Amino acid sequence: MAKPNNTLFFVQGNPGFDDCDAAVLGVAFDGNASYGRGAAEAPQAIIKASHQMDIENPMTGKTLETAIHNFGIIEPKNAKEMIEETEIVAKKALEARKFFVLLGGDHSTVNGLLNAVPEGTCFVNFDAHLDLREEWQGKKESHAAIAHRIFDKGFEQVWVGTRDLINEEEMKFVSEQNIANKIFYSPSMPKAFYKTQEFPKWMKKENMLFDKHYAKKALDTIESEKVWLNIDIDCLDLREGIETGVPTPFGLSLETLRDLIYEICQKKEIVGFSLAEVIPDKFGKSQAIAAMLCYSILSWLESKNK
Ligand SMILES: [Mn+2]
């Protein structure tokens, strides 16, 4: 494992694991990406971008005081190694009831969490895609099959920002498992189009972002008390300036994502979050958004727990 040569938000020092409130692991792995590569560079870039952020928030006047332990960044050579190494660290953190942050990497890095996240947790998947394929390109651990793996483990799931690449296999799965009410779309067609449409079994009219109660409904759908925020950065709209493995237009605005995560943080017990598919860009935009999300979630939880 690479030594933590620098740390998320805190340039000086790395709080010890026993004393930390939150623990962070970077997984520099994009070996399972099927389209754009580069997410392996994200953990280092996000950490670097976090140093540009003022941890004293001018909007609240409060300084982030959460003690964050950095495990460092692992650089696994293959999927098997990635899953094993991630799992060891995730288990250590979550068994000690530390808030855990996984900085990917492609979305397949979440495979390393499946045996570590406590039972009875709902994965809230912020993602343009359902990722419900049984396998993709012959790989069960593919980023495009991650929600299927989460399902196999028996976790509840809710999707937000869905809008692309929903294939027949996934539609069938949604209908058979009766989970259409758990999927919240960010539609790529104009509102008028959907008015004329007969809605298929796998799509709920009231779960479209056009509906003003979108965020509330998504939140109300979560049955579990515990939540894992499973963020694939491609949930965001491209106008937000993100660079990602499978860029997809008509996504969530940064405000919609922010507000919904804020609400979930207020109402649920957040076990941790994963941030995947961020590809650092030369202007620093993707990594700045990612660092801001890390900061926001940690500071909301800190203010809630005070
Ligand atoms: Mn995705």
Side-chain angles (χ1 to χ4, degrees):
M1 187 184 297
K3 283 254 173 337
N5 50 4
N6 46 32
T7 62
L8 193 63
F9 302 116
F10 294 89
V11 187
Q12 289 157 3
N14 184 22
F17 178 73
D18 291 340
D19 303 322
C20 78
D21 308 307
V24 183
L25 174 70
V27 183
F29 182 80
D30 60 10
N32 274 329
S34 54
Y35 187 46
R37 289 280 173 103
E41 312 296 324
Q44 192 63 62
I46 295 168
I47 285 169
K48 197 172 165 211
S50 78
H51 297 164
Q52 279 305 109
M53 290 185 57
D54 199 342
I55 57 166
E56 187 180 311
N57 190 335
M59 298 292 143
T60 61
K62 289 189 184 123
T63 304
L64 185 69
E65 288 170 350
T66 303
I68 306 169
H69 174 73
N70 284 255
F71 282 108
I73 299 170
I74 55 171
E75 295 168 358
K77 289 189 244 355
N78 53 51
K80 187 171 173 284
E81 205 177 290
M82 178 274 288
I83 294 169
E84 284 169 3
E85 289 181 10
T86 306
E87 187 171 306
I88 291 168
V89 177
K91 272 188 171 165
K92 181 180 175 183
L94 291 168
E95 276 168 14
R97 303 201 164 225
K98 304 292 187 186
F99 185 81
F100 188 54
V101 180
L102 176 75
L103 299 178
D106 71 42
H107 211 169
S108 74
T109 52
V110 169
N111 278 295
L113 297 171
L114 300 179
N115 292 322
V117 170
E119 268 176 47
T121 300
C122 176
F123 278 72
V124 181
N125 307 324
F126 300 90
D127 199 329
H129 313 100
L130 289 177
D131 294 346
L132 271 173
R133 289 163 166 83
E134 169 59 27
E135 55 174 49
W136 181 243
Q137 297 175 333
K139 292 177 185 168
K140 280 199 161 216
E141 73 281 4
S142 165
H143 70 139
I146 185 62
H148 204 117
R149 296 292 82 77
I150 297 169
F151 185 89
D152 290 345
K153 281 278 167 189
F155 291 108
E156 184 196 0
Q157 291 183 86
V158 171
W159 289 257
V160 180
T162 310
R163 60 196 181 278
D164 196 29
L165 295 174
I166 305 161
N167 70 358
E168 220 160 299
E169 181 195 342
E170 291 178 304
M171 293 172 204
K172 198 166 158 253
F173 188 86
V174 171
S175 304
E176 281 172 4
Q177 301 299 334
N178 203 17
I179 50 175
N181 64 321
K182 300 275 194 183
I183 302 169
F184 291 80
Y185 292 88
S186 182
S188 53
M189 295 284 156
K191 197 173 178 181
F193 172 85
Y194 293 100
K195 275 196 184 135
T196 63
Q197 282 287 300
E198 187 79 28
F199 273 73
K201 267 210 309 218
W202 44 273
M203 215 172 190
K204 293 271 184 223
K205 193 178 184 176
E206 61 274 22
N207 284 8
M208 297 288 184
L209 185 52
F210 300 131
D211 189 303
K212 64 179 180 346
H213 302 299
Y214 181 89
K216 189 180 178 320
K217 274 193 197 131
L219 179 58
D220 286 350
T221 310
I222 305 168
E223 290 163 51
S224 316
E225 238 348 276
K226 292 187 169 79
V227 163
W228 182 271
L229 301 168
N230 181 15
I231 306 168
D232 179 331
I233 205 72
D234 72 23
C235 67
L236 285 173
D237 192 78
L238 297 185
R239 88 186 80 169
E240 302 297 354
I242 50 148
E243 194 85 44
T244 186
V246 186
T248 309
F250 298 109
L252 304 176
S253 70
L254 195 49
E255 287 84 356
T256 301
L257 180 66
R258 176 196 66 190
D259 293 357
L260 184 51
I261 293 179
Y262 178 79
E263 286 297 320
I264 298 172
C265 287
Q266 296 306 307
K267 304 242 165 72
K268 297 288 179 181
E269 182 194 332
I270 313 296
V271 176
F273 70 89
S274 44
L275 195 46
E277 304 285 351
V278 175
I279 296 183
D281 64 87
K282 63 177 176 178
F283 303 108
K285 292 190 282 185
S286 281
Q287 48 271 48
I289 289 172
M292 185 70 198
L293 282 171
C294 293
Y295 172 82
S296 299
I297 296 169
L298 289 166
S299 62
W300 294 332
L301 292 172
E302 182 179 297
S303 61
K304 184 182 161 187
N305 293 333
K306 261 185 183 162

